[in-house]
């Protein structure tokens, strides 16, 4: 049933012109969801500078920690992550596929959260990585995030490992539409339905009661009447083998690995760090709090991505 969906490495990203604005908010970063940390240590800055200067083909992997400075919470950070603050958990793949009411709940919440979630803008860290790509320093970027902020920043040499909430596809015929387009379908189908958004999650989810969800109408695929699903790897699903091989190839062409804003708890990303270790590539980790590869990383830095990365001179 899913074979109609062609999934490739980095080639299905939404092009930046689909976004109304590429600009970055000039306001100071929203640090509500950023764990407390000290300003970058000059020694650490120097070490990361050396690491980046020595790299000619840098492979970068990012996670939710790079987007917290854009005002999007992560799942796991101590105190400020979604898991620490709430008992909400993301939808499970099997449940979404199996249950019409699970899909209704998912889409009702996603519909309410969308205007705010889709309005988030890239921060300095996203822009630095975009610049490194332009300068030829960054060979490939892999993000575990589904928020499209790297695309909004203008990154192109990139794979969205877990997909992107800005795309929706049909489980029946594979037809793909933009999530923004679907918002209009939702509005047309639910002209009098209203609910307040609060506490948007890393995937655009918000909390609603069962009562609020009950009357929400979910559209089917316009081409075949099939089930619509965001182009996102839900928890309990796996990344396609084709995409995994594609990323392994990009990693094989790289000479070092930088992980930014991820504790790497999820295996779909962690496996690439294991592969980098096997190839004996230098690995730098920039993340507030412990990560799964602290014991074998060449360099571990506990700083905000948007604060430390702009200090690095790319040569
Ligand atoms: Zn369809």
């Amino acid at each position: 049933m899913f074979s109609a969906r062609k999934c490739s490495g980095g080639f299905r990203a939404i092009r930046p012109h689909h976004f109304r604005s590429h600009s970055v908010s000039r306001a100071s970063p929203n640090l509500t969801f950023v764990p407390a940390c000290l300003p970058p240590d000059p020694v650490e800055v120097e070490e990361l500078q050396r690491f980046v200067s020595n790299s000619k083909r840098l492979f970068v992997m990012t996670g939710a920690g790079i987007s917290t400075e854009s005002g999007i919470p992560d799942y796991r950070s101590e105190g400020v992550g979604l898991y620490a603050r709430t008992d909400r958990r993301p939808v499970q793949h099997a449940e979404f596929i199996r249950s019409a009411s699970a899909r209704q709940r998912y889409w009702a919440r996603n519909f309410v959260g969308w205007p705010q979630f889709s309005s988030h803008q890239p921060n300095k860290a996203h822009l630095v990585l975009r610049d490194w790509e332009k300068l030829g320093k960054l060979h490939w970027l892999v993000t575990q995030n589904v928020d499209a902020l790297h695309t909004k920043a203008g990154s192109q040499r990139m794979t969205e490992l877990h997909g992107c909430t800005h795309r929706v596809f049909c489980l029946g015929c594979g037809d793909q539409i933009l999530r923004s387009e679907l918002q209009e379908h939702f509005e047309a189908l639910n002209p009098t339905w209203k609910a307040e958004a609060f506490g948007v999650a890393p995937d655009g989810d918000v909390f609603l009661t069962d009562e609020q969800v009950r009357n929400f109408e979910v559209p089917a695929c316009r081409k075949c009447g099939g089930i619509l699903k965001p182009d996102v790897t839900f928890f309990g699903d796996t990344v396609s083998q084709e995409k995994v091989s594609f990323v392994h190839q990009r990693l094989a062409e790289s000479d070092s690995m930088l992980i930014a804003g991820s504790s790497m708890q999820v295996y779909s990303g962690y496996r690439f760090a294991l592969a980098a270790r096997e190839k004996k590539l230098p690995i730098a980790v920039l993340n507030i709090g412990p990560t799964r590869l602290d014991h074998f990383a060449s360099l571990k830095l506990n700083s905000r991505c948007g604060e430390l990365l702009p200090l690095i001179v790319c040569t």
Side-chain angles (χ1 to χ4, degrees):
M1 190 177 184
F2 307 115
S3 58
R5 178 189 176 202
K6 272 183 78 180
C7 219
S8 65
F11 303 128
R12 282 173 63 100
I14 293 174
R15 286 181 287 280
H17 69 256
H18 283 121
F19 296 108
R20 282 196 198 108
S21 162
H22 311 162
S23 65
V24 178
S25 165
R26 285 171 195 279
S28 54
N30 175 352
L31 302 182
T32 311
F33 301 118
V34 182
C37 73
L38 295 168
D41 180 311
V43 176
E44 289 190 342
V45 177
E46 210 173 289
E47 285 175 338
L48 183 60
Q49 178 66 63
R50 198 174 311 124
F51 178 89
V52 172
S53 297
N54 286 338
S55 171
K56 300 280 175 280
R57 297 170 72 80
L58 185 60
F59 180 100
V60 179
M61 176 165 277
T62 65
I66 198 173
S67 293
T68 53
E69 289 170 67
S70 292
I72 301 175
D74 64 11
Y75 287 110
R76 294 181 178 79
S77 278
E78 202 177 318
V80 291
L82 193 77
Y83 292 168
R85 289 181 295 114
T86 74
D87 58 1
R88 281 162 50 196
R89 296 295 177 266
V91 66
Q92 292 289 318
H93 179 78
E95 193 191 8
F96 186 92
I97 301 298
R98 185 185 342 114
S99 159
S101 66
R103 291 195 293 276
Q104 184 188 39
R105 189 167 60 243
Y106 175 86
W107 281 123
R109 292 157 65 140
N110 189 273
F111 168 71
V112 174
W114 180 253
Q116 187 195 329
F117 183 72
S118 60
S119 71
H120 288 291
Q121 293 298 319
N123 62 57
K124 284 179 183 170
H126 297 98
L127 299 183
V128 165
L129 295 177
R130 186 261 332 259
D131 291 345
W132 289 4
E133 177 187 316
K134 279 189 182 162
L135 293 165
K137 173 69 71 179
L138 185 150
H139 178 59
W140 204 261
L141 171 64
V142 176
T143 186
Q144 302 170 83
N145 300 338
V146 295
D147 55 27
L149 294 190
H150 285 299
T151 306
K152 287 182 180 179
S155 286
Q156 294 183 345
R157 297 176 64 84
M158 175 185 63
T159 297
E160 293 166 318
L161 193 61
H162 299 147
C164 179
T165 52
H166 289 250
R167 297 184 297 268
V168 174
F169 74 100
C170 168
L171 291 173
C173 72
D175 186 47
Q176 185 181 292
I177 59 171
L178 292 175
R179 174 63 186 79
S180 52
E181 211 179 301
L182 185 61
Q183 192 74 356
E184 292 167 17
H185 300 188
F186 283 136
E187 282 163 7
L189 270 178
N190 298 279
T192 59
W193 193 89
K194 275 201 168 47
E196 291 294 314
F198 66 94
V200 180
D203 60 357
D205 188 26
V206 301
F207 180 77
L208 297 178
T209 64
D210 290 349
E211 180 63 36
Q212 287 173 302
V213 166
R214 204 166 296 140
N215 299 317
F216 189 74
E217 295 284 339
V218 178
C221 170
R222 286 192 164 181
K223 293 201 170 153
C224 78
I227 293 170
L228 297 177
K229 179 182 177 295
D231 191 1
V232 166
T233 306
F234 285 145
F235 284 77
D237 192 11
T238 52
V239 176
S240 76
Q241 204 45 53
E242 187 188 356
K243 194 186 272 191
V244 171
S245 309
F246 179 88
V247 173
H248 273 303
Q249 284 165 25
R250 302 291 81 75
L251 180 62
E253 297 157 358
S254 305
D255 62 7
S256 54
M257 182 182 203
L258 168 67
I259 289 156
S262 177
S263 57
M264 298 294 270
Q265 292 304 321
V266 179
Y267 178 75
S268 62
Y270 182 61
R271 70 177 123 205
F272 299 111
L274 293 177
R277 177 173 71 166
E278 202 151 292
K279 292 175 202 305
K280 303 202 172 4
L281 299 187
I283 304 173
V285 179
L286 167 55
N287 187 63
I288 305 171
T291 79
R292 206 169 166 184
L293 52 132
D294 287 355
H295 62 289
F296 65 81
S298 334
L299 189 57
K300 170 69 200 299
L301 308 149
N302 273 286
S303 291
R304 284 205 278 126
C305 298
E307 198 169 28
L308 181 50
L309 292 179
L311 301 176
I312 304 304
V313 181
C314 190
T315 51

